């Protein structure tokens, strides 16, 4: 499905679509979604999901901006934002893993809580201009030089680092192997002595850190903080993981599949923009293509 989409846009825009510059631009566009989708994969491997990541990203970014507005140091505000995300993830984990609430109910509730807090701390206003340190905006515009006039964006580098870290955690640690077992059969894992509640809590906490990092990346890219600017991340992150699940023979969440799902969304957005398709039409087409990709993969699995 991904190759078909790439081929279509390549034939429609042969001069611009397959250029190195355009693909580096796509990686930067999807870098924020990558981070939040990779940590969401961790949660979904354990059999849960998190509806609050978008509002958590908004809140974390807003916390940093408010602190910078009050002349708190650069790293002090960054640390506070990550702590807020971590606390939000732990709170979700306690509600789901220890209080016994369903992930849907718990994270739907915290979604509204985090959204309200973001509006509260910002008084519903966007923070921009001198309140945001110049180095924050410069970071998203910088990158690692690859050739003359071409660089690998810093935001893309962060996404790559998170991908590598999550890959190591899921594939090469006892925690990752146990989390896969929990997602496969929670009751059997408990009977085998696996600390199921603790593993689920840690997964939610890591997801909170991912949401905070994504929120800070958003502030850097936009050079501003808005109390609702991360809201669209949640649906796209879950969609990316679900699309990725169709690429696994077992239908399980996996990082390679999630990356492919994110790239499908990024390529669609980039290609449709190059074709000058209206933004609202893009949303409809993206939804239809995601449904088609999942249906196609399901049919392929049944034929096997």
């Amino acid at each position: 499905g991904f190759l078909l989409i790439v081929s279509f846009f390549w034939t429609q825009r042969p001069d611009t679509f397959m250029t190195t510059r355009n693909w580096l631009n796509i990686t930067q566009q999807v870098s924020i979604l990558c981070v939040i989708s990779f940590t969401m994969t961790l949660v979904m491997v354990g059999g849960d999901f998190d509806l609050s990541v978008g509002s958590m990203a908004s809140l974390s970014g807003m916390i940093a901006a408010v602190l910078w507005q009050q002349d708190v140091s650069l790293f002090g505000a960054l640390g506070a934002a990550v702590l807020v995300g971590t606390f939000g993830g732990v709170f979700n984990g306690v509600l789901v893993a220890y209080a016994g609430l369903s992930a849907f109910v718990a994270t739907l509730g915290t979604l509204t809580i985090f959204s309200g807090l973001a509006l509260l701390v910002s008084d519903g206003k966007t923070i921009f201009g001198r309140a945001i340190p110049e180095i924050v905006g410069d970071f998203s515009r910088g990158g690692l030089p690859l050739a003359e006039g071409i660089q690998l964006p810093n935001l893309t580098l962060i996404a790559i680092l998170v991908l590598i870290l999550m890959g190591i955690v899921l594939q090469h640690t006892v925690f990752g192997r146990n989390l896969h077992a929990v997602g496969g059969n929670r009751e059997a894992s408990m009977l085998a002595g696996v600390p199921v509640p603790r593993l689920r809590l840690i997964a939610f906490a890591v997801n909170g850190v991912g949401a905070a990092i994504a929120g800070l990346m958003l502030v850097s890219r936009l050079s501003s903080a808005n109390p609702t600017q991360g809201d669209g991340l949640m649906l796209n992150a879950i969609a990316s993981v679900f699309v990725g699940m169709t690429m696994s023979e077992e239908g399980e969440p996996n990082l390679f599949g999630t990356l492919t799902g994110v790239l499908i969304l990024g390529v669609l957005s980039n290609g449709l923009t190059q074709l000058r398709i209206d933004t609202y039409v893009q949303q409809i087409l993206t939804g239809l293509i995601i449904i088609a990709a999942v249906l196609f993969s399901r049919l392929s699995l049944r034929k096997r």
Side-chain angles (χ1 to χ4, degrees), residues 99-119:
L101 296 181
S102 73
F104 178 84
V105 172
T107 60
L108 182 62
T110 55
L111 180 157
T112 56
I113 291 172
F114 299 148
S115 293
L117 287 172
L119 290 164

Side-chain angles (χ1 to χ4, degrees), residues 269-280:
S269 176
N270 180 273
L272 292 172
T273 298
Q274 288 196 32
L275 294 178
R276 298 180 181 177
I277 303 296
D278 188 274
T279 305
Y280 305 118

Side-chain angles (χ1 to χ4, degrees), residues 1-14 16-19 22-23 26 260 263-268 270-272 274-275 289:
F2 175 67
L3 293 177
L4 285 175
I5 294 169
V6 170
S7 300
F8 172 76
F9 289 124
W10 189 4
T11 58
Q12 296 301 306
R13 286 290 183 270
T16 58
F17 184 74
M18 287 300 287
T19 63
N22 186 54
W23 275 93
I26 290 173
T260 305
L263 287 175
I264 286 174
L265 295 181
V267 167
L268 279 172
N270 180 273
L272 292 172
Q274 288 196 32
L275 294 178
I289 290 171

Side-chain angles (χ1 to χ4, degrees), residues 253-264:
N254 63 96
L255 284 173
F256 176 76
T258 297
L259 175 61
T260 305
V262 170
L263 287 175
I264 286 174

Side-chain angles (χ1 to χ4, degrees), residues 114-282:
F114 299 148
S115 293
L117 287 172
L119 290 164
L120 182 65
V121 299
S122 65
D123 199 23
K125 298 174 182 176
T126 299
I127 297 175
F128 59 94
R130 293 182 180 178
I132 308 295
E134 191 174 336
I135 191 174
V136 173
D138 289 343
F139 180 81
S140 66
R141 292 186 285 272
L144 180 68
L146 298 177
E148 189 175 348
I150 298 177
Q151 61 182 13
L152 184 65
N154 284 329
L155 298 186
T156 303
L157 284 171
I158 292 177
I160 292 171
L161 288 173
V162 173
L163 173 62
I164 293 170
L165 182 60
M166 291 299 101
I168 292 171
V169 168
L170 283 173
Q171 300 299 325
H172 302 288
T173 66
V174 174
F175 170 81
R177 290 191 289 273
N178 284 340
L179 195 64
H180 275 103
V182 171
N185 192 321
R186 194 169 292 164
E187 290 185 4
S189 297
M190 292 187 73
L191 291 173
V194 175
V196 173
R198 190 196 312 162
L199 293 177
R200 296 170 74 194
L201 174 65
I202 293 172
F204 273 105
V206 172
N207 198 37
V209 174
I213 293 171
L216 292 170
M217 291 167 72
L218 262 176
V219 173
S220 176
R221 186 161 187 207
L222 301 174
S223 292
S224 64
N226 182 283
T228 60
Q229 66 188 18
D231 290 1
L233 290 171
M234 178 268 289
L235 287 176
N236 285 335
I238 292 178
S240 298
V241 180
F242 271 120
V243 169
M245 288 169 65
T246 65
M247 299 174 190
S248 164
E249 290 187 4
E250 298 81 16
E252 296 177 348
N254 63 96
L255 284 173
F256 176 76
T258 297
L259 175 61
T260 305
V262 170
L263 287 175
I264 286 174
L265 295 181
V267 167
L268 279 172
S269 176
N270 180 273
L272 292 172
T273 298
Q274 288 196 32
L275 294 178
R276 298 180 181 177
I277 303 296
D278 188 274
T279 305
Y280 305 118
V281 178
Q282 285 188 33

